[in-house]
Amino acid sequence: MRFSSGKILHAIGLTAVILFTLFPFYWMVSASFKTQADILASPPVWVFAPTLDHYREIFADSKVLGAVGNSLIIATATTALAVLLGAPAAFALARYEFRGKSDLWFWFISNRMTSPIVLALPVYILALQLKMLDTHLVLILIYLTFNLPIVVWICTDQFKSIPPDLEQAARLDGADQFTIFRKIYLPLGAPGIAVSAIFSFIFSWNELLYALVLTRRDVQTAPVVATSFMSGYELPWGKIMATGTVIVLPVTIFALIVSRHMVRGLTMGATK
Amino acid sequence: MTSITPPPQVRPNRGYGRWTPFWFLAPAVFTLFIIGIYPTIFALVTSFRRYNIARPRDGFPFVGLENYTSVLTDGTFWASLFLTGQFYVTVLPIEIALGLVIALLLHKPGMGFLKSLARVTLVVPLATTYAVVGLIGRLIFNRDFGVANWFLDLFGIGALDWLGSQTGAFAAIVIMDIWQWTPFCALIFLAGLSMVPGEIEEAARLETSSKWAMLKHVQLPYLMPGLTALLILRSADVLKLFDMVFVMTRGGPGSATDLVSVYIQRVGFRVFDLGTASAQAILLLIITILISRLYIRVLYKEVN
């Protein structure tokens, strides 16, 4: 008897975990399918006739579409750059010994920890002077401050796990270091590179502070636009929640793909 | 800066020249230098100037330590740091306790399908765009139709004006933070639990039926590195926390949720006093560097 009651408690506990993690997400998605009247109902409506009106509205709204497009361009470009710059650096950190390696490492980690507000202030002034405010480029570059460390970390870890014998053999065949990197490390490290790219995409897609400060009208990203609907007296809740769902859905799918690596990505590998 | 030269006792046949690491590292380091270090230096310089872009006619004269003295004697800056600390000591014990319970539930044998489902759903809060977490918070904690008040009603507690009252707003951002970051704690503890060698766990199960003794004597040592990482990382995260709070409360009502990043953002971009804001940001950076140092000292033994 004790055994089965333990089992029931276990099942209840796990169900509670699932409800806890999914409820706010579910509440957003369900609100995006409710009419405004259903959203504003008190007590809340649990069973309702779903409507696609809010999705129709946002997919006809050039502001939302443009913002999603901006987010896509910026997140993709910054991720590509992060991999392009980060993978070779990771190769060096994984394979070479040199003085200053731990300083370099410290620098990458502190970049992960620094509040974006620290850089947002000077970058705002610099971008203002360089007439770079409200451009894709400024966000693509500034997002590298947190993407590059992530890519470097995950790729270093991955490259370290590649057996050195392969490199020895290639070297005997007269391959230079760049060839070894390109022909051995890049293909064999591809899974790690992909994981780091996904993380980089998620973090860039989700970012709000820099996007809020460094963009005006043309380059607003999806989170900025979603947030901007939050003003006025009667809020368009359905539209806001539909936009929220559209923003969150792609990154949730990505996150599920890399869920096994989530802890590594978020702790910079301090715990395995 | 980092000097990238090989150590003096160079072994002759490493298969690469002394400058090889440099060429692989240079692009990344150079880029981070331009986008990270240079702006930081610029912020440092700005922090010694009077720099209010709402009043460009005043120019941007150097004023020495004036910004720092005004920040350090400014009650609201300290209050926002204190509030950030208060937020940290409120959310973290709850996240750790809940995270540990979840990790133990997921570690316990049996319930295969439900367990994998629960594990997968843990990723959802972590991936949710922080700004959207704020939007969801606005919906859930709405005074008139929010589902939070409906839950309170289930327990016979009257409706609260969550975001309109000081304690309510603080509680609301605490709850949303707990929702988003408890899974992170759970995943870290789960990783720790899975490091306990199976034989040891089995042997301990035969010795004692007490779950508490098991946790304390067998599993706890494996949880410690994760716990340390959490304590440090979450402190840096709380100092960074902006998006969710900004969307939910803008730091208000009054200064009830004015965490340090939200406060500095307002000084910089609402008041446009960039000199003062830069001084605050530099102080924040110094705290962050200390935290990063600690993180590395404690958790990356093999690197140092």
Side-chain angles (χ1 to χ4, degrees), chain A residues 17 20-21 262-263 266, chain B residues 95 98-99 102-103 106 118-127 176-190 230:
Chain A
V17 171
F20 168 76
T21 49
M262 207 71 194
V263 170
L266 287 167
Chain B
E95 287 169 359
L98 280 177
I102 295 176
L106 290 176
R119 222 211 119 131
V120 166
T121 56
L122 284 182
V123 174
V124 171
L126 286 174
M176 290 319 278
D177 193 81
I178 289 171
W179 174 69
Q180 186 159 39
W181 292 102
T182 296
F184 179 53
C185 302
L187 288 172
I188 285 189
F189 287 138
L190 187 61
L230 274 178

Side-chain angles (χ1 to χ4, degrees), chain B residues 26 41 54 82 86 91 97-98 108 142 155 173 193 243 252 300:
Chain B
I41 294 169
F82 183 73
Q86 227 176 348
V91 294
L98 280 177
K108 201 176 143 131
N142 189 285
F155 295 100
I173 62 166
L193 287 176
D243 300 5
Y300 288 91

